[in-house]
Amino acid sequence: MPDTIQFVLEIDKLKGVLRKVRPIWEERYENTAEHSWQIALFAMSMARTLELKIDVTRVVAMLLVHDLGEIDAGDKFVFAQGGWEERKAAELKALERICGLAPKKTGDFLLGLWKEFDAGESDEARFAKAIDRCMPVLLNLNKKGGSWLEHGVSYERVVERVGPEIESGCLELWEYLKPQLEAGRRKGFFAASTS
Amino acid sequence: MPDTIQFVLEIDKLKGVLRKVRPIWEERYENTAEHSWQIALFAMSMARTLELKIDVTRVVAMLLVHDLGEIDAGDKFVFAQGGWEERKAAELKALERICGLAPKKTGDFLLGLWKEFDAGESDEARFAKAIDRCMPVLLNLNKKGGSWLEHGVSYERVVERVGPEIESGCLELWEYLKPQLEAGRRKGFFAASTS
């Protein structure tokens, strides 16, 4: 029990990890803790709406832990070029440290969720990844381009980077997003293509 | 599908609702979105550690939605005196509006979770409430009194206000907290008693 409390106090640090996206109604960047809450509830609601035949409990659980590694490794902008293998190793090390604070059976359970999400092989992990990728797209579309314009990200880069994961994990979501992204392109929500 | 997206965009506002407690490593107040994430993961981990025979899926789901009413009604300090019946009515109205944005089957499911939490009758709701009450106590104990000193809350008021709900929902957690609170009292983490 005290070990589990130590774990809960340690994860408090995720409230201080800033992402590159801003909440719709705030000027500040969002942090990874509030992002994790939003996508967990997003996934739970969307799975219910689409009547998906997957284990939603595991999806939600994965989304609650999927970014814990950022406590040690910081946020990495999804549109960054390269460095992703080193990044994965750093996150795994962080997860082992943080989950290691909890009793072994609890820590192993949490680490297992992170590994399943990271592997992205189960239907649950692919749906969870689709939701995770989709959320900042929705926020940016509702911020007239938001972090895409702020950080020089083109329409092509967004479609190439997040499209396959969203399409693979939740086809309906990608079918919904595609015309929204095209409309955003016409409205000037993206940086010019660098290619 | 578009209705569910509207719901997900609406709940983004919870990131802007400030509570009276500060994260351990931040000077700012925490917001209700990040709080909801932390207690969902707290509940999931603690239920596993204690091997509780309850439906943890429903506990986590309740905690993800339990504070959505604050989008319209704002945060109410747990130690405020009075006004709790009007408050409950305002939150219910808010939930009906916000969940009403989603398709009916999804909205009814989410509203049902909120109502179960609010009623506090099921084992799951009582455990969820215990976790919700416990988290700010843990944060304040790790901030040398934090919001208790800042807002003039005495040791007696804390024990009287949060003790019964924590004890009823998770006896082990209350047994752990009691000596911590007494130690905090000796260290001057509380305002003087007003009685």
Side-chain angles (χ1 to χ4, degrees):
Chain A
M1 151 81 83
D3 298 345
T4 307
I5 300 289
Q6 279 313 305
F7 166 77
V8 169
L9 293 172
E10 180 65 19
I11 66 169
D12 204 59
K13 292 176 183 167
L14 202 61
K15 297 173 185 170
V17 176
L18 297 186
R19 293 162 47 84
K20 295 285 184 294
V21 180
R22 300 172 197 273
I24 300 174
W25 308 98
E26 304 284 316
E27 286 311 305
R28 63 175 178 84
Y29 284 122
E30 72 171 357
N31 68 63
T32 305
E34 61 196 345
H35 160 71
S36 298
W37 163 77
Q38 188 171 31
I39 59 175
L41 187 43
F42 182 5
M44 190 171 88
S45 308
M46 189 55 82
R48 172 84 35 165
T49 296
L50 297 176
E51 298 179 352
L52 299 181
K53 304 290 182 234
I54 58 174
D55 182 351
V56 182
T57 297
R58 225 161 69 241
V59 172
V60 170
M62 277 190 264
L63 290 173
L64 293 176
V65 305
H66 82 294
D67 271 341
L68 282 182
E70 296 186 2
I71 287 173
D72 291 353
D75 177 59
K76 185 172 166 77
F77 193 37
V78 64
F79 299 109
Q81 303 276 11
W84 289 99
E85 280 306 311
E86 299 83 342
R87 167 70 192 196
K88 184 183 282 201
E91 281 201 41
L92 174 59
K93 197 174 162 192
L95 259 287
E96 287 171 344
R97 180 188 73 74
I98 297 160
C99 296
L101 296 171
K104 183 162 170 35
K105 67 183 169 190
T106 304
D108 286 351
F109 163 66
L110 298 169
L111 185 57
L113 289 167
W114 184 88
K115 286 180 176 173
E116 180 179 349
F117 178 87
D118 183 62
E121 288 167 1
S122 66
D123 288 346
E124 285 77 11
R126 288 190 297 118
F127 179 64
K129 275 183 187 279
I131 294 290
D132 185 34
R133 289 287 180 240
C134 178
M135 195 66 242
V137 172
L138 291 173
L139 294 181
N140 281 335
L141 284 172
N142 282 274
K143 289 282 256 195
K144 300 186 190 303
S147 65
W148 296 325
L149 284 174
E150 197 175 340
H151 299 284
V153 180
S154 69
Y155 167 84
E156 290 78 9
R157 182 83 181 110
V158 172
V159 170
E160 161 203 272
R161 181 71 175 90
V162 308
E165 280 186 333
I166 299 176
E167 187 172 16
S168 156
C170 187
L171 182 60
E172 299 91 332
L173 204 47
W174 185 236
E175 294 296 334
Y176 168 84
L177 275 186
K178 267 195 301 186
Q180 308 272 339
L181 286 165
E182 284 160 21
R185 182 187 208 178
R186 289 192 296 275
K187 291 177 193 162
F189 287 179
F190 298 92
S193 174
T194 50
S195 64
Chain B
M1 155 78 84
D3 297 345
T4 307
I5 300 290
Q6 279 313 305
F7 166 77
V8 169
L9 293 173
E10 180 65 19
I11 67 170
D12 204 59
K13 293 177 182 165
L14 202 62
K15 298 173 184 170
V17 176
L18 297 185
R19 292 161 49 83
K20 295 286 185 293
V21 182
R22 299 172 199 272
I24 299 174
W25 308 99
E26 305 283 316
E27 286 311 304
R28 63 174 177 83
Y29 284 121
E30 71 171 0
N31 68 63
T32 304
E34 61 197 345
H35 159 71
S36 298
W37 162 76
Q38 187 171 33
I39 58 175
L41 186 44
F42 182 5
M44 191 171 86
S45 309
M46 189 55 82
R48 171 86 32 167
T49 297
L50 298 176
E51 298 180 350
L52 299 181
K53 304 289 182 237
I54 58 174
D55 182 350
V56 182
T57 298
R58 225 162 67 241
V59 172
V60 170
M62 275 190 265
L63 289 173
L64 293 176
V65 305
H66 82 294
D67 270 342
L68 283 182
E70 295 185 3
I71 287 173
D72 290 352
D75 177 58
K76 185 172 165 81
F77 194 35
V78 63
F79 299 109
Q81 303 276 11
W84 289 98
E85 281 306 311
E86 298 82 343
R87 168 70 190 195
K88 183 183 284 199
E91 282 202 39
L92 175 58
K93 197 174 162 192
L95 259 289
E96 288 170 344
R97 180 188 72 76
I98 297 161
C99 296
L101 296 170
K104 184 164 170 32
K105 66 183 170 191
T106 304
D108 286 352
F109 164 66
L110 299 169
L111 186 58
L113 290 166
W114 183 88
K115 285 181 177 174
E116 180 179 350
F117 178 87
D118 183 63
E121 289 166 0
S122 66
D123 288 346
E124 285 77 10
R126 289 189 298 118
F127 179 64
K129 275 182 186 282
I131 294 289
D132 185 34
R133 289 288 179 239
C134 179
M135 195 65 242
V137 172
L138 291 173
L139 294 181
N140 281 334
L141 285 171
N142 282 274
K143 290 282 258 194
K144 299 185 190 304
S147 65
W148 297 324
L149 285 173
E150 196 175 341
H151 299 283
V153 180
S154 69
Y155 167 85
E156 291 77 8
R157 181 83 182 110
V158 172
V159 170
E160 162 203 271
R161 181 70 175 91
V162 308
E165 279 185 334
I166 299 176
E167 187 172 17
S168 157
C170 187
L171 183 60
E172 298 91 332
L173 202 48
W174 185 236
E175 294 297 332
Y176 167 84
L177 274 186
K178 268 194 301 188
Q180 308 273 340
L181 286 164
E182 283 160 19
R185 183 189 207 175
R186 290 192 296 275
K187 292 177 192 163
F189 289 180
F190 298 92
S193 174
T194 49
S195 63

